[in-house]
Amino acid sequence: MNNKQLRKVRIKEIIRDNIISSQDDLLKLLRDEGFSLTQATLSRDLKKMKISKVAYTDNTYRYIIPKDSPSKPKSGNRGFVSLDFSGHMAVVRTLAGYASPMAVLMDNSPSDLFIGTIAGRDTIFVALNENNINHEKFRIYLENLLSDNED
Amino acid sequence: MNNKQLRKVRIKEIIRDNIISSQDDLLKLLRDEGFSLTQATLSRDLKKMKISKVAYTDNTYRYIIPKDSPSKPKSGNRGFVSLDFSGHMAVVRTLAGYASPMAVLMDNSPSDLFIGTIAGRDTIFVALNENNINHEKFRIYLENLLSDNED
DNA sequence: CTAATTATTGTATATTTATGCAATATTTTT
DNA sequence: AAAAATATTGCATAAATATACAATAATTAG
């Protein structure tokens, strides 16, 4: 294991075991352990590891390790297969059985972009808002819904 | 609904439907809609809402709504709600819409413990193997099924 | 109503984080 | 091994974000 990999492992451990509220905090701890690096490198490491600062309930900021961080196969898009459009209708194809829960997800994240969904076994019809038809935005909406919201 | 609350609602919607990579991005969109505020206020709003910038797989940063946000459905165990038994039948309750995919999961992980499943919207009936009725084992089977593999 | 209290916001700025570029180091190719 | 290609890093700084403080607005108490 080279220095970079070792460093990354320690970064995760430190963040798991400490309250870190800035990159400089973390930088100091790493340097105390003998690592030699700068904030710039740390910023890059954290980006690669998807570790980021979030607001905590105690009104402070902390760095946290995302729950799904450990190289999760991106195939886990909740059964998503494809998205196509037909006029005012978006058609989402899913793996067998996934259409209904995905439609429920959408129903629970309402948006101006659509006015309703109906799901079969592996297909969802989404009635888009005729005053606000924007395929690209709907695609982004769905992408965010499916990737931001893992179990 | 006063201006602040309205603004916060819109912030969530905008982040859900767009790719936002800085507070200034968001600020511009809000101002386009007629909101009058500064980056400082936005920073405070986002802190309160626990919305933060995270590294995305495409090597960019995006603001995202945290997973446990109230607008997202709570789905810790893949929509699982409860498990009960009635004679040779196990009855699994799920969140609305989750019954079918969960039954598919079970069908794809066959076991001597049951001989078939049938799913409605939020309920699965599982016909247990009458030669091998063991409620506790089935509970463990289901527990493992729901916690093991990723989506 | 008026005063007191609390909440919201902007300004200005400090703090924090990200990145272009050049230098080094590492790995791969020949 | 040398050359070429790729990756890692620091430096300097740009870009982005958070916050102290003061002002203003809204709410509550008397």
Side-chain angles (χ1 to χ4, degrees), chain B:
Chain B
M1 171 129 37
N2 68 25
N3 195 258
K4 184 178 182 185
Q5 287 169 316
L6 183 60
R7 188 181 68 224
K8 284 188 172 182
V9 167
R10 273 306 287 153
I11 287 173
K12 262 197 185 173
E13 289 174 353
I14 290 174
I15 286 175
R16 198 167 47 213
D17 298 342
N18 297 273
I19 293 172
I20 301 294
S21 46
S22 74
Q23 293 181 5
D24 272 346
D25 282 3
L26 182 51
L27 186 61
K28 283 187 189 97
L29 293 180
L30 286 167
R31 283 179 168 165
D32 286 350
E33 294 189 6
F35 288 98
S36 161
L37 76 166
T38 63
Q39 176 270 325
T41 297
L42 200 43
S43 174
R44 293 175 183 118
D45 284 354
L46 294 172
K47 182 177 187 177
K48 282 228 179 74
M49 291 189 283
K50 313 262 182 282
I51 291 172
S52 55
K53 193 174 62 167
V54 306
Y56 230 73
T57 38
D58 62 1
N59 207 42
T60 63
Y61 289 92
R62 298 189 191 182
Y63 276 80
I64 63 159
I65 296 166
K67 299 173 186 59
D68 57 359
S69 160
S71 72
K72 304 280 178 167
K74 170 74 181 119
S75 56
N77 264 333
R78 295 166 175 274
F80 174 81
V81 170
S82 67
L83 168 63
D84 293 285
F85 296 93
S86 173
H88 289 187
M89 195 74 77
V91 178
V92 182
R93 300 300 307 265
T94 71
L95 296 179
Y98 283 76
S100 187
M102 194 179 294
V104 169
L105 267 188
M106 293 173 58
D107 293 344
N108 288 334
S109 292
S111 157
D112 278 350
L113 295 170
F114 63 93
I115 58 178
T117 70
I118 186 165
R121 180 171 165 73
D122 60 9
T123 306
I124 310 169
F125 283 1
V126 183
L128 300 175
N129 183 336
E130 65 180 354
N131 301 312
N132 195 15
I133 303 274
N134 186 323
H135 294 176
E136 187 53 26
K137 280 200 174 179
F138 184 78
R139 186 183 300 282
I140 292 167
Y141 162 85
L142 191 61
E143 198 177 292
N144 286 338
L145 188 68
L146 297 181
S147 59
D148 257 356
N149 39 337
E150 51 250 304
D151 283 352

